DNA sequence: GTAGGGGTAATC
DNA sequence: GATTACCCCTAC
């Protein structure tokens, strides 16, 4: 695990969404690094020490590259005009948040439990207090399939993929791919039986 | 009412 | 040009 990689992973999380691109790159405190590691990898402080290559390695001493934010996707900013734009077709967007790793995990768990297409059930079980509605779950699943299932064929595409906030871990990608294959076969069976999607 | 698919804006 | 999140339309 390259230290520079880690910087690229947690740096956007530490960034102030209202200060993007950041006016200055700051070296976070070890406690902040620890907090971000536990957030990204779901590990506690004890396990974090395993990431250090040598005993003297201090995660807080990671060197932040100048303008490290270049090439990374910043928080989404959408211009919302109170008077609207584009005439009658303008609509306010309720939510502009990027999906967190935790949300993706919950989505995968939901699909695992209820199957692809049962978005209302996934919503009520795992996203009851979230702003994500069933269509958001559907859209995110579509994006995940696209992101996980399409092999990288060009340098440009590979570059673009690297700009994603937090790369998914291999286990999660395998789960998504597995569930996609399962859903394809079960939908065939459902169609054969004459069943529709219910919620 | 719900899900699928297309379209679009924002971001790089 | 590609990706992502959101919205709209349509079919069931």
């Amino acid at each position: 695990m390259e230290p520079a990689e880690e910087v690229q992973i947690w740096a956007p999380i530490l960034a102030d969404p209202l200060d993007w691109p950041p006016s200055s790159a700051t070296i976070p405190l070890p406690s902040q690094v620890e907090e971000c590691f536990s957030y990204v990898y779901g590990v506690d402080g004890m396990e974090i020490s395993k990431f250090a290559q040598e005993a003297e390695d201090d995660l807080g001493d990671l060197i932040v590259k100048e303008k490290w934010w270049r090439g990374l996707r910043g928080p989404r900013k959408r211009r919302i005009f109170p008077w609207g734009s584009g005439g009658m077709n303008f609509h306010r967007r309720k939510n502009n948040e990027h999906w967190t790793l935790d949300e993706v995990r919950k989505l995968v768990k939901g699909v695992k439990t209820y199957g692809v297409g049962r978005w209302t059930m996934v919503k009520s079980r795992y996203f009851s207090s979230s702003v994500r509605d069933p269509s958001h779950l559907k859209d995110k699943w579509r994006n995940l399939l696209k992101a996980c299932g399409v092999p990288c064929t060009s340098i440009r595409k590979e570059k673009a993929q690297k700009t994603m906030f937090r790369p998914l871990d291999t286990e999660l990608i395998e789960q998504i791919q597995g569930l996609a294959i399962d859903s394809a076969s079960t939908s065939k069976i459902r169609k054969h039986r004459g069943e529709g999607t219910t919620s």
Side-chain angles (χ1 to χ4, degrees):
Chain A
M1 191 175 284
E2 294 294 315
E5 254 178 54
E6 292 309 323
V7 171
Q8 288 187 6
I9 290 168
W10 52 253
I13 303 166
L14 290 176
D16 177 4
L18 299 175
D19 179 31
W20 190 273
S23 48
S24 62
T26 53
I27 297 174
L29 298 167
S31 61
Q32 288 177 296
V33 176
E34 199 170 293
E35 195 181 323
C36 287
F37 262 70
S38 62
Y39 175 75
V40 175
Y41 296 102
V43 296
D44 59 29
M46 296 292 285
E47 287 179 287
I48 288 165
S49 59
K50 291 178 188 169
F51 287 108
Q53 298 290 315
E54 302 290 335
E56 61 268 29
D57 280 356
D58 184 355
L59 292 169
D61 285 338
L62 294 175
I63 296 164
V64 178
K65 284 186 261 177
E66 198 184 353
K67 295 188 178 176
W68 49 264
W69 46 269
R70 281 191 183 277
L72 293 167
R73 224 168 251 275
R76 292 175 79 80
K77 287 168 284 194
R78 289 175 191 271
R79 277 171 293 179
I80 297 174
F81 304 102
W83 57 87
S85 67
M88 298 295 284
N89 291 326
F90 179 77
H91 298 279
R92 267 172 189 277
R93 293 190 181 233
K94 285 188 290 184
N95 174 40
N96 285 324
E97 295 296 312
H98 261 292
W99 280 66
T100 63
L101 187 63
D102 187 48
E103 284 179 309
V104 174
R105 283 210 170 105
K106 280 197 280 187
L107 177 61
V108 173
K109 208 173 176 182
V111 172
K112 221 174 177 179
T113 308
Y114 299 109
V116 177
R118 263 66 168 179
W119 305 119
T120 44
M121 293 175 81
V122 176
K123 156 75 181 174
S124 59
R125 172 73 174 81
Y126 294 99
F127 296 87
S128 55
S129 57
S130 170
V131 292
R132 311 292 183 194
D133 63 31
S135 68
H136 290 160
L137 306 185
K138 181 248 309 177
D139 288 337
K140 182 58 186 176
W141 184 253
R142 185 168 54 173
N143 287 338
L144 284 173
L145 292 182
K146 208 172 164 187
C148 299
V150 182
C152 200
T153 53
S154 68
I155 295 167
R156 181 186 278 272
K157 206 171 178 183
E158 192 179 347
K159 218 174 174 183
Q161 285 185 356
K162 281 179 181 173
T163 67
M164 283 173 71
F165 251 4
R166 282 179 289 275
L168 295 177
D169 53 65
T170 319
E171 193 189 333
L172 211 52
I173 291 170
E174 282 171 0
Q175 278 186 46
I176 291 164
Q177 288 172 335
L179 287 166
I181 292 163
D182 286 348
S183 75
S185 54
T186 51
S187 69
K188 268 187 185 174
I189 294 165
R190 261 192 246 149
K191 231 174 189 174
H192 182 71
R193 289 177 181 167
E195 292 175 16
T197 49
T198 52
S199 55

